[in-house]
Amino acid sequence: MLTPEELDETYTHACQTMTGLGADKTELFLARLCLLLMKEVGSAAPILCAIDATARSVREG
């Protein structure tokens, strides 16, 4: 599990990378990143839980 500092550093890097790519490439970047991370996790159950939790979070604003 990431420490809070690692999470902040990783999130900041992702944000800076997306900014560098431009808004028109953000959706593609996120989709490809998700696919790569799914392969790294290697098990469907935690991925499905994360998808559901993200959907709930987006719906609730």
Side-chain angles (χ1 to χ4, degrees):
M1 180 160 285
L2 294 172
T3 65
E5 293 81 16
E6 290 171 325
L7 182 59
D8 183 62
E9 180 181 334
T10 304
Y11 181 77
T12 298
H13 183 67
C15 290
Q16 290 171 342
T17 300
M18 287 185 288
T19 299
L21 290 171
D24 60 317
K25 302 245 194 251
T26 298
E27 189 174 328
L28 178 59
F29 171 81
L30 289 173
R32 289 184 179 177
L33 178 61
C34 284
L35 287 173
L36 287 171
L37 292 173
M38 285 178 186
K39 289 175 76 173
E40 288 296 317
V41 170
S43 176
I47 296 167
L48 294 170
C49 287
I51 291 168
D52 292 343
T54 301
R56 277 193 304 276
S57 175
V58 169
R59 277 189 216 104
E60 294 169 4

